[in-house]
């Protein structure tokens, strides 16, 4: 019977990641509530809430605690993930909610602790009296010990999976499922396919910048469309001189690279500076020298249709 109860508890045990997600959801809710509350005072005098900020925050968190943990035995993050608190100190095997004293101590440790820390920080911030200095050292020592205890508790939680926070361990409340979890059979074909395509996309993102697209296009063009006519002939130069072989527009400051095609100076210069092995995208000729267009053909003749 005991082994059966242990197996049932093991199958219904809340995952560590679910408990941590519930804590993160609670923090996100607190930030959202505080941002919405401060926007209500956007049109008032700046710094109106700064003086009473710890008290206002404590009142808001106390309001949330009243309608979450005190009423429903679960925080908002736990309710989203189908989790609630259980009294781990009870000897009854059935579900036992946290007692009223446990809930009150939970509010005192979480809400009261945050308020006390913020208020003490504001109190000791600008005080340099010896008595205040000793009190500040004592408060810092207590806060440091609590953080150390929280770290040790977190390491134990990672090993055993119970009591995600130090407050839960001290009060004897742990997270359990609100409703029994049914066993689900998960197929991993879709996940494997997504991982495969994701890895392939990352490989392409890494590979594509290393590919010289212009040179590859020139090679494919030279293979698919064989060139006709002698290079450097007047007719070919007249035809190709009407547009830049890179941008397709009328060439500005026309230059050649040793073949019959004409380029804008800025187009060919920027391409050559980007890639020292730049070749003509039309014929694949490598850059021998970048020279202005000099031939027996005037630009007026080139523009003749």
């Amino acid at each position: 019977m005991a082994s059966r109860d242990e197996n049932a508890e093991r199958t219904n045990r809340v995952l560590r990641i679910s408990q941590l997600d519930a804590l993160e959801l609670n923090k996100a809710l607190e930030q959202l509530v505080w941002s919405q509350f401060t926007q209500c005072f956007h049109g008032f005098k700046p710094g109106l809430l700064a003086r009473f900020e710890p008290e206002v925050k404590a009142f808001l968190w106390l309001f949330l605690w009243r309608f979450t943990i005190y009423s429903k035995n679960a925080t908002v993050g736990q309710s989203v993930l189908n989790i609630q608190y259980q009294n781990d100190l009870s000897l009854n095997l059935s579900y036992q909610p946290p007692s009223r004293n446990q809930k009150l101590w939970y509010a005192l440790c979480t809400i009261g602790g945050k308020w006390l820390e913020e208020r003490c920080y504001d109190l000791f911030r600008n005080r340099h009296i010896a008595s205040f200095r000793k009190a500040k050292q004592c408060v810092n020592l207590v806060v440091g010990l609590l953080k150390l205890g929280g770290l040790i508790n977190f390491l134990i939680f990672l090993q055993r999976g119970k009591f995600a926070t130090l407050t839960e361990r001290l009060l004897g409340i742990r997270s359990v499922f609100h409703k029994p979890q049914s066993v689900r059979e998960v197929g991993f074909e879709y996940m494997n396919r997504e991982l495969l395509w994701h890895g392939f996309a990352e490989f392409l993102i890494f590979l594509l910048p290393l590919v010289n697209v212009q040179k590859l296009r020139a090679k494919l063009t030279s293979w698919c469309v064989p060139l006709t006519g002698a290079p450097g002939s007047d007719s070919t130069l007249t035809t190709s001189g009407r547009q830049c072989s890179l941008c397709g527009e009328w060439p500005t400051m026309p230059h050649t690279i040793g073949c019959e095609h004409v380029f804008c100076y800025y187009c060919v210069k920027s391409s050559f500076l980007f890639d020292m092995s730049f070749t003509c995208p039309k014929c694949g000729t490598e850059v021998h020298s970048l020279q202005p267009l000099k031939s027996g053909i005037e630009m007026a003749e080139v523009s003749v249709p």
Side-chain angles (χ1 to χ4, degrees):
M1 185 71 180
S3 61
R4 183 181 303 176
D5 294 335
E6 291 179 358
N7 293 331
E9 180 183 359
R10 191 170 301 173
T11 55
N12 293 327
R13 181 176 297 176
V14 180
L15 297 178
R16 297 172 178 84
I17 188 63
S18 298
Q19 300 181 52
L20 296 178
D21 286 342
L23 295 177
E24 293 298 325
L25 288 174
N26 294 333
K27 294 178 182 178
L29 175 67
E30 291 178 358
Q31 294 178 359
L32 180 62
V33 171
W34 180 247
S35 63
Q36 294 290 332
F37 183 80
T38 53
Q39 286 181 3
C40 298
F41 297 88
H42 182 70
F44 290 83
K45 182 181 178 180
L48 180 63
L49 296 177
R51 185 177 179 181
F52 306 101
E53 182 175 339
E55 286 74 17
V56 174
K57 283 186 176 181
F59 176 77
L60 290 177
W61 308 156
L62 189 64
F63 181 80
L64 290 176
W65 167 85
R66 172 61 181 82
F67 292 98
T68 54
I69 296 179
Y70 190 82
S71 300
K72 300 181 180 179
N73 304 321
T75 63
V76 176
Q78 290 177 332
S79 301
V80 172
L81 299 175
N82 189 28
I83 302 174
Q84 63 182 355
Y85 278 130
Q86 177 182 347
N87 188 357
D88 198 55
L89 302 178
S90 177
L91 300 178
N92 196 344
L93 297 179
S94 60
Y95 171 76
Q96 292 294 326
S99 63
R100 186 171 181 270
N101 291 332
Q102 286 177 323
K103 295 177 182 179
L104 293 176
W105 276 107
Y106 183 90
L108 182 64
C109 293
T110 54
I111 303 174
K114 290 180 181 179
W115 170 83
L116 184 62
E117 182 180 1
E118 294 180 3
R119 182 48 66 192
C120 289
Y121 176 77
D122 292 338
L123 181 63
F124 300 142
R125 181 171 52 185
N126 298 322
R127 306 298 178 111
H128 302 286
I129 307 176
S131 58
F132 281 99
R133 197 171 298 172
K134 293 181 180 179
K136 183 178 180 182
Q137 292 177 356
C138 295
V139 171
N140 291 335
L141 179 61
V142 172
V143 172
L145 291 176
L146 289 176
K147 290 184 178 180
L148 179 61
L151 176 60
I152 297 175
N153 176 79
F154 183 72
L155 296 177
I156 299 175
F157 164 74
L158 293 180
Q159 181 182 7
R160 300 183 180 179
K162 292 175 60 177
F163 307 117
T165 62
L166 182 61
T167 304
E168 296 177 3
R169 184 174 297 275
L170 294 177
L171 297 180
I173 54 177
R174 65 185 181 94
S175 300
V176 295
F177 285 116
H178 179 64
K179 297 179 181 179
Q181 296 292 301
S182 58
V183 179
R184 297 180 298 173
E185 296 181 359
V186 181
F188 293 95
E189 292 85 0
Y190 177 76
M191 184 180 297
N192 293 335
R193 185 165 61 250
E194 288 296 320
L195 290 176
L196 178 62
W197 282 110
H198 183 69
F200 182 68
E202 287 187 347
F203 175 73
L204 288 181
I205 292 174
F206 171 76
L207 183 63
L208 286 179
L210 304 178
V211 178
N212 192 337
V213 180
Q214 293 182 348
K215 194 170 184 179
L216 181 62
R217 185 174 60 181
K219 287 289 184 182
L220 294 177
T221 304
S222 61
W223 290 343
C224 299
V225 184
L227 296 174
T228 59
S233 62
D234 293 348
S235 60
T236 307
L237 187 62
T238 303
T239 305
S240 61
R242 297 180 180 179
Q243 63 179 6
C244 173
S245 299
L246 288 175
C247 65
E249 301 294 334
W250 181 266
T252 304
M253 299 175 62
H255 280 66
T256 60
I257 60 174
C259 63
E260 71 275 8
H261 300 102
V262 179
F263 304 86
C264 298
Y265 172 77
Y266 297 104
C267 293
V268 67
K269 188 66 175 180
S270 59
S271 300
F272 180 70
L273 291 176
F274 176 75
D275 183 11
M276 299 303 293
S277 60
F278 171 75
T279 58
C280 177
K282 298 291 185 180
C283 60
T285 304
E286 296 183 357
V287 179
H288 298 294
S289 60
L290 185 61
Q291 298 178 354
L293 181 61
K294 293 181 180 180
S295 62
I297 307 172
E298 299 292 339
M299 294 307 297
E301 298 177 1
V302 173
S303 61
V304 175

